[in-house]
Amino acid sequence: MPKKGNRKRLKYRGNISSETVTVADYADSDPAIVKTGRVKKAVANAIQKEVKLLCGLEASQVPVTEEALSSVVEDHLDCDSSDQVDADGHSNELKVSRKKKSKRQQEGPEDYGEQYPIDIWLFLASYIRPEDIVKFALICKSAWAVTCTAAFWTRLYKRYYCSDVYLPERLQREVIGKLSSLRACVIRSLYLMYEPFHSRLSEKPSIPESTPTTLQNCSCLLYWCKKGSGNRSDQRWEFNYKFKKQSPKLKNGCRNGLQFPRQYEQVHKNPDQDCYLLQITTFNFIFTPVVMGMTLTLFTINVSTDMRHHRVRMLFQDSPLPQGKKPKKDQGLQVILDPVHSVRLLDWWHPQYPFSASI
């Protein structure tokens, strides 16, 4: 059996008759040496079937001569070469279009598209539902600028104002006109007057189905406890922890997201932004250490030892826990509340969230 190294390769022949098909066209030849436009076997079989169909007979009845097949193969090769030229021309057109596109990007996005006056967006904002404000602000920058104005939030408050609903003093109609923290006050009032928002709060259970993870690496700002209302035999204690979510650290001191216009900074002022209130109600008083200024690294809700109630365990540390690392049990300050009647996590817009003194 001859070695592979002694195998002879076919040389390229420039003048090949269009009526004959050489062995190099169908043999395992090197395409770098034999440049005859070799036709694959699958293509040849497809051409053979096409020739038989053109004759009007079935494939098993009429044999096709070698001359007819070679002529069809030649036409097929000519079509491929022309298609290749068209493809090359098309590729050149694509290159030109890409250059034009890059030039358009350099010119800037403001040169293309329609820009409508901000009065039109302010008019359309009068028909936006409260739950669709975020979608409306994402349409364009002008729509987002409308949601930053004091007129937008004042109209939204007047549209859903209801005199039959009890509102705190800071959310009354006579006081809501102040520019300071206008957006925060309108959002808090909507959770009292707007039924879809109010129904969301009533559906939450006393004990969450799963342990909330939003308090991970949040710093504790305040802590207080008070007696609950009830009889002496059923008197409960309420432990409150106010947490603030730490803002992510960005490189080069860059600020995250769009910044509100300067003339509306008082409208969007909110000292309770990214704050949460954790309310834990127990059946009796439990001594707990002071954890203000520390960071919560672990928060779990398990079944109590009596198998009838729940048990809350919190672990506080002096610094935030790096992402992906688990807290160590021997480090930090541990707070255990057992037995627990209810656990509630309130956002800053919740009606039972206490108002800050600066609002």
Side-chain angles (χ1 to χ4, degrees), residues 10-11 13 21-29 34 36 38:
L10 297 176
K11 295 182 179 180
R13 295 180 299 169
V21 180
T22 61
V23 179
D25 292 332
Y26 291 91
D28 296 333
S29 58
V34 182
T36 58
R38 172 185 168 192

Side-chain angles (χ1 to χ4, degrees), residues 53-90:
L53 291 175
L54 291 175
C55 295
L57 299 175
E58 296 180 359
S60 60
Q61 293 180 356
V62 179
V64 180
T65 59
E66 185 179 358
E67 296 180 358
L69 181 60
S70 62
S71 61
V72 175
V73 169
E74 182 182 3
D75 296 337
H76 180 71
L77 292 176
D78 294 338
C79 293
D80 291 341
S81 61
S82 62
D83 293 338
Q84 186 177 2
V85 173
D86 294 339
D88 294 338
H90 184 63

Side-chain angles (χ1 to χ4, degrees), residues 344-356:
R344 303 178 64 187
L345 183 62
L346 309 180
D347 294 279
W348 62 266
W349 58 78
H350 198 280
Q352 297 184 5
Y353 188 94
F355 272 97
S356 297

Side-chain angles (χ1 to χ4, degrees), residues 20 62 66 72 104 149 166 245 255 272 312:
T20 60
V62 179
E66 185 179 358
V72 175
R104 292 177 183 175
T149 60
Y166 170 76
K245 187 177 181 181
R255 294 183 179 181
D272 291 327
V312 174

Side-chain angles (χ1 to χ4, degrees), residues 251-263:
K251 295 182 180 179
N252 301 327
C254 297
R255 294 183 179 181
N256 190 12
L258 292 173
Q259 300 300 319
F260 298 113
R262 292 183 179 180
Q263 61 270 27

